[in-house]
Amino acid sequence: MNILWAWNWLGAAVLLAGFGSAALYGRKRRWADAGLVLAGAAALAALLSEPARPMRDADELAIASDVPGDALARSLLAVPEAGSLALTGHGLTDAQWQDVPARPLRWTAPNGGVLLLDFARTVPLGRAFTLTVRRSQPVAAWRLQLLAENGQVLADAAAPVAASAQAQASAPAMAQLSVSWLPPLAEKLVLRARLLDGNGKALAEGPVPLLVTEPVPLQVIGRFGAPSFDTRVLNDWLTASGAIVDWQTTLGKGLSRTESARAALDKPNAQFIDAAWFESAPQPARAALLGQVAQGLPLVVLGGNASQPAVWQRELALPLAPQSATTEREDTRVFGAAAQQIALAPASFNPVPQAAAWRVLATDSRGKPWLWQRSWKQGGIVWVGVADWHRHAIASPVALGAWWQTLIDAAVNGGAQGVVWEQPDAMPVAGMRTQVCAQGVAQAKPLSIQGMPDIAWQARSGRAEGLCAAFIPQRAGWHMLSSGGAQHAIYVYGERDWPQWRHGLRQQATRAYAARTLSDASVRSQSAPLPAWPFALAVAAAMLALWYRERRLTS
């Protein structure tokens, strides 16, 4: 049988020491003792070299993933000894695959429909909550409903008959539907999602937990060279969202209107200016502004009233092209869909496609760019290439707010976050191990979970900026978490919740494991470790025999 040995400096040192000791015994013609020293050193060096056998010499291990219990646990413990895996069922969870080494996998996903749900577990108040459901086996005219805790329908979406037929014909691509809802209060909710077929029959239904938190207020500085309805609407939207705003608008020569911040701006998240302010500002004011940007403060330029392209080319290496009056209607940017759709006019000047230092940051629903960005040392500058959004402030306030939120997310640093909680497991289930991660917590402060002993934070590979803790929840429902002064809540599903979603997640994790096995393929990773006890027994026997012979000689 072929055996693989991993080179180890400690093992080499043990061999050198063994040869040296054997040489000393050989000078005294104690050949038996020299042989015992060499045997013990060789056995210890072999133990330290992690002997393994190629997987082609190991047996295939059969795992029945749909039969939980002790049999599955024993199978997972035997994976390191196996040469390959033969898997039946929907597969294992991501946490289970992370605990086993890479092995060639022989598996075929079973027939039957599966679901994949995608939604944010935590949403700040004022943000829309969006639920997306994908089905592997769509039916004609299927529907997705989001229900409140009292059963009231909050949002509803239906797949057109033509789209459903096309999705069925284009298998294995998954069909999807999305619904959105704006939470009115900051609270813990357990909504429900329901999937219906064209006749109104329920296909699947289950809980959708949502934690709505109080938003972290943004700190925004605004400097504008001319009053406009657009900047007024922006000010109103920021104020309504709870942002701390320091606003100044030039009304004329030597005359300006100032709105002081209600609190100190110790860590501004962004500065907004319009093009007119930058074009009319003296050189020292421009230099001071760009100096703040160089230190990391994002600068957002509203380009609707730009009129001096030479200034932008000289100061920011931004080549601008005028908007053609003949194509203004065709160049309108469209955002949103259906009833929540808005159309914004392009700015009078926008960056040319060949702007070397600038890149497109966002496009509209038709793929036309409307947001450009360039880096500026530690910060960045963003050009907003649309105007006249104030026309939608009364008719479509929700769609306009969603558009502004998209801009803020893309261009502005978020509010000062203390602790950022993360939930790697998409669907924690009672009785199965899950983990929670956090950025900004102190490792010395353990994780406290209601009804469970404290758990120490640990570093995880792939999460250099955060710490994680694993635990096994014993019940379904909300679990309150705390570490130091930070608090959070996560929802744990019951064993009967969303069976098709659980199957979809297991199949997804199994495919990821198969891909990881192929990418990690190497001589060592394609091997099974040999048992360590024979080498340890040989070392102990050789040392005991040598000790016995030395004792007889001295006596």
Side-chain angles (χ1 to χ4, degrees):
M1 179 179 64
N2 296 327
I3 297 179
L4 303 176
W5 307 90
W7 171 256
N8 189 296
W9 285 104
L10 186 58
V14 168
L15 280 178
L16 289 176
F19 280 117
S21 300
L24 294 177
Y25 278 117
R27 290 182 59 184
K28 301 178 182 179
R29 299 186 179 278
R30 295 169 58 180
W31 306 114
D33 296 336
L36 288 174
V37 168
L38 285 177
L44 182 57
L47 180 63
L48 295 174
S49 298
E50 302 175 359
R53 57 175 175 168
M55 289 193 309
R56 60 179 179 270
D57 298 330
D59 297 329
E60 184 179 68
L61 175 65
I63 300 178
S65 61
D66 288 347
V67 184
D70 294 339
L72 179 59
R74 288 193 297 269
S75 298
L76 295 180
L77 291 175
V79 170
E81 305 277 338
S84 59
L85 306 179
L87 184 68
T88 58
H90 291 280
L92 304 178
T93 65
D94 182 68
Q96 290 171 322
W97 284 126
Q98 293 294 335
D99 290 340
V100 299
R103 293 291 182 268
L105 179 65
R106 183 167 58 86
W107 170 73
T108 301
N111 296 325
V114 297
L115 298 175
L116 288 177
L117 276 65
D118 183 17
F119 60 93
R121 275 64 180 172
T122 304
V123 173
L125 184 63
R127 295 284 192 96
F129 168 75
T130 301
L131 167 67
T132 300
V133 177
R134 289 182 290 163
R135 301 189 69 237
S136 62
Q137 293 183 347
V139 296
W142 64 292
R143 305 178 64 89
L144 169 62
Q145 292 182 337
L146 181 65
L147 309 178
E149 293 175 320
N150 60 3
Q152 178 185 359
V153 177
L154 301 176
D156 191 349
V161 177
S164 299
Q166 183 180 4
Q168 288 177 313
S170 61
M174 301 186 75
Q176 72 174 40
L177 281 177
S178 297
V179 291
S180 296
W181 174 66
L182 187 64
L185 298 173
E187 57 182 337
K188 295 194 299 290
L189 298 169
V190 182
L191 308 176
R192 295 191 71 80
R194 179 191 299 161
L195 276 71
L196 306 172
D197 62 12
N199 298 321
K201 180 181 178 182
L203 300 173
E205 183 176 347
V208 178
L210 175 62
L211 178 62
V212 186
T213 60
E214 293 290 347
V216 178
L218 292 174
Q219 300 182 15
V220 179
I221 302 172
R223 297 293 183 264
F224 304 97
S228 71
F229 291 115
D230 280 351
T231 56
R232 184 71 260 169
V233 168
L234 171 59
N235 181 287
D236 293 341
W237 182 81
L238 288 172
T239 303
S241 67
I244 303 174
V245 177
D246 182 357
W247 216 254
Q248 187 178 87
T249 303
T250 301
L251 303 177
K253 188 174 182 179
L255 183 64
S256 64
R257 183 179 67 242
T258 301
E259 179 181 336
S260 301
R262 69 176 188 271
L265 274 70
D266 51 350
K267 293 182 179 180
N269 301 111
Q271 177 157 346
F272 283 75
I273 65 171
D274 62 357
W277 183 93
F278 190 84
E279 291 172 353
S280 61
Q283 190 61 35
R286 293 177 187 170
L289 174 63
L290 296 179
Q292 292 177 330
V293 176
Q295 295 178 6
L297 178 65
L299 176 64
V300 181
V301 182
L302 308 181
N305 57 3
S307 60
Q308 302 179 32
V311 173
W312 302 98
Q313 177 68 55
R314 182 178 67 251
E315 300 292 340
L316 301 179
L318 175 59
L320 296 177
Q323 170 63 41
S324 174
T326 59
T327 61
E328 183 174 354
R329 182 181 296 273
E330 291 78 4
D331 291 337
T332 297
R333 271 51 169 185
V334 180
F335 304 90
Q340 298 299 322
Q341 186 178 85
I342 60 174
L344 300 181
S348 55
F349 288 88
N350 272 328
V352 301
Q354 297 80 17
W358 293 76
R359 67 180 182 92
V360 175
L361 187 60
T363 59
D364 71 346
S365 58
R366 298 185 296 188
K368 294 183 178 181
W370 65 276
L371 200 64
W372 292 262
Q373 183 187 49
R374 72 156 295 172
S375 59
W376 194 268
K377 295 185 179 180
Q378 298 181 19
I381 304 174
V382 173
W383 179 275
V384 182
V386 292
D388 293 340
W389 52 79
H390 68 275
R391 300 178 184 274
H392 303 279
I394 297 177
S396 305
V398 175
L400 183 61
W403 174 76
W404 266 114
Q405 194 62 66
T406 301
L407 190 152
I408 295 294
D409 292 342
V412 177
N413 292 336
Q417 302 282 348
V419 174
V420 179
W421 298 87
E422 299 176 356
Q423 190 175 328
D425 191 355
M427 187 181 180
V429 179
M432 300 188 65
R433 190 188 66 182
T434 186
Q435 67 174 341
V436 62
C437 301
Q439 297 182 20
V441 295
Q443 192 166 8
K445 300 289 186 179
L447 174 65
S448 298
I449 305 177
Q450 184 179 9
M452 299 181 65
D454 291 350
I455 305 173
W457 292 106
Q458 295 181 352
R460 291 284 194 274
S461 59
R463 296 184 179 273
E465 298 181 356
L467 300 172
C468 298
F471 65 99
I472 301 178
Q474 299 302 320
R475 60 174 180 83
W478 287 105
H479 287 62
M480 301 305 300
L481 283 64
S482 64
S483 180
Q487 295 184 346
H488 188 56
I490 66 170
Y491 184 85
V492 176
Y493 294 83
E495 295 183 0
R496 297 184 179 181
D497 291 338
W498 292 114
Q500 292 182 342
W501 185 21
R502 292 181 62 184
H503 293 164
L505 291 174
R506 286 164 52 186
Q507 292 184 17
Q508 198 175 51
T510 302
R511 294 187 182 96
Y513 172 81
R516 175 166 62 94
T517 300
L518 295 176
S519 63
D520 291 348
S522 65
V523 175
R524 291 297 302 179
S525 64
Q526 301 292 318
S527 59
L530 290 176
W533 66 265
F535 301 97
L537 183 62
V539 173
M543 295 300 101
L544 284 174
L546 185 62
W547 171 79
Y548 178 75
R549 290 177 59 83
E550 289 284 353
R551 185 178 179 185
R552 286 187 57 188
L553 183 63
T554 55
S555 60

